Amino acid sequence: MNGVLYPLCAGIAWISLLFKLPALSRGDRGPAAVAVGFFYLFMGLTFTISDPRVWALLDRVTGVPNLALLLSQGSVIGVAASQLAALTFWGHEPERARPVVRRQIWGFAGVLAAMAVLFTLADLTEEDTTTAAVRYAGHGLYSVYLMLYVTAFAVTEYLIVVRCLRYARAVGGAWLARGLRLAAFGAAGGLAYVLARYADVVAGPLGLDPQRWEVVARLGAGLGGICTLIGWSLPGWGPQVSGLRAHWRDRRAYRALYPLWAALTAANPDLALDRDAGRRAGRDLNFRLHRRVIEIQDGLRWLRPARDSTDLVDPDLRAQFAAVAIADALADPVRTGAGTVPEPPPQDTDTAWLVRVAGAFAELGAGSAQR
């Protein structure tokens, strides 16, 4: 699992950092953005070093067995610290946040120094690229090292969960709120990893096999890491997804309005600014869609279909009645103008309502052709 899930997490982290670098290189970057950049960096280091191939390479190059264990778990502390710093800068004014973050950094630096000392004193002379954390969990000083590491990580992950959920309720942006909730879910996965590591320490004295729940640790770290990475990056690319969805919605609406627009402009060519406009819009989609909606509305005011559907509750049935009234008016060579313009129901915008009517109108035409 380490050879598949961890490289995937590393790839997501490095790609996220690459997309973040242009913003970080600008002079207007804030301290929270810098902290998020460090989060991507430490995430990339954590999962890159945890790859068994990189692990073995580090051991060969440095000559220190299982050095990757200290480096990867030290990077995990960096992951937690950078997230906590970003949330601290978001929650307070910079003048108040900086001394708090400075104390946090000194605290994490103390944890890392103690971890380095305990790792050096522990007897981890036999290389193990995949199960070292489990294999040595109940061994002397390494068990103290592991307890220090997971406790510091657990406290930080708990604070991250609490603050992400709190800020998600307070922020205005929908994508930012979603990202914070997803980051909180990822941090909860980190807590599952912590529980598995605590269980590793007590497994030996209790005669239990820690490999039985190692999958929990790896999934908690891997899937939790992916959720956290996506959560922190979501505010950056999420609005672009919304923009793409809106673009395709508008493109579908432009095509859907064509049958009704074509029928009205055929009856009154003066309605159309561009009489050669077809089903598909090329450039200037927003302008073309706006024009099509306006021209249909102008056509309905000119046509004044006689059948009123404003008392109907169901919007689709209301659209069908409006479409029948339009078709009847277009078929009548003498238009008296005695009817009312179909009004959209409260839940629809003008465009959405006209798309409903155009769809019903197109179905009428298809039904007539079949008959």
Side-chain angles (χ1 to χ4, degrees), residues 89 135 371:
F89 280 118
R135 179 177 179 180
R371 288 192 294 271

Side-chain angles (χ1 to χ4, degrees), residues 36-56:
V36 173
F38 274 107
F39 159 72
Y40 293 137
L41 173 64
F42 284 123
M43 268 291 200
L45 289 173
T46 296
F47 288 109
T48 300
I49 295 170
S50 298
D51 186 312
R53 292 157 292 191
V54 179
W55 188 299

Side-chain angles (χ1 to χ4, degrees), residues 112-164:
L112 290 172
M115 287 172 59
V117 171
L118 290 168
F119 179 85
T120 303
L121 297 176
D123 184 20
L124 305 180
T125 56
E126 187 174 348
E127 181 185 84
D128 189 336
T129 62
T130 56
T131 61
V134 179
R135 179 177 179 180
Y136 297 111
H139 293 193
L141 287 176
Y142 178 74
S143 63
V144 180
Y145 161 95
L146 187 59
M147 292 294 288
L148 172 64
Y149 157 64
V150 296
T151 300
F153 183 60
V155 171
T156 310
E157 290 293 271
Y158 171 77
L159 292 174
I160 290 170
V161 170
V162 172
R163 293 188 184 184
C164 281

Side-chain angles (χ1 to χ4, degrees), residues 274-363:
D274 179 9
R275 298 179 185 179
D276 296 326
R279 290 181 180 273
R280 300 182 183 275
R283 291 179 292 181
D284 301 326
L285 173 62
N286 290 340
F287 170 76
R288 290 176 180 274
L289 177 61
H290 179 70
R291 281 300 315 168
R292 182 153 288 184
V293 169
I294 294 299
E295 288 168 2
I296 290 174
Q297 290 174 330
D298 289 345
L300 294 179
R301 279 189 285 270
W302 164 76
L303 188 64
R304 305 289 287 186
R307 189 175 303 180
D308 186 9
S309 61
T310 55
D311 58 338
L312 297 174
V313 176
D314 182 78
D316 292 325
L317 185 60
R318 189 169 174 174
Q320 290 174 9
F321 268 73
V324 170
I326 294 169
D328 290 345
L330 287 171
D332 185 359
V334 181
R335 299 182 182 90
T336 61
T340 59
V341 179
E343 293 292 331
Q347 68 270 31
D348 276 357
T349 63
D350 286 343
T351 301
W353 165 241
L354 290 178
V355 167
R356 287 184 192 271
V357 175
F361 184 81
E363 290 178 359

Side-chain angles (χ1 to χ4, degrees), residues 197-265:
R197 291 290 172 253
Y198 276 131
D200 293 343
V201 175
V202 301
L206 296 178
L208 301 174
D209 180 11
Q211 289 291 346
R212 295 172 58 185
W213 55 79
E214 179 60 11
V215 66
V216 175
R218 296 183 183 183
L219 288 177
L223 296 182
I226 290 175
C227 290
T228 305
L229 283 165
I230 295 175
W232 282 100
S233 63
L234 196 59
W237 53 265
Q240 299 177 31
V241 174
S242 293
L244 186 61
R245 288 167 54 190
H247 174 82
W248 284 109
R249 183 186 64 242
D250 289 349
R251 192 167 289 279
R252 288 194 302 269
Y254 186 84
R255 290 198 302 267
L257 290 172
Y258 177 78
L260 180 57
W261 174 87
L264 289 171
T265 55

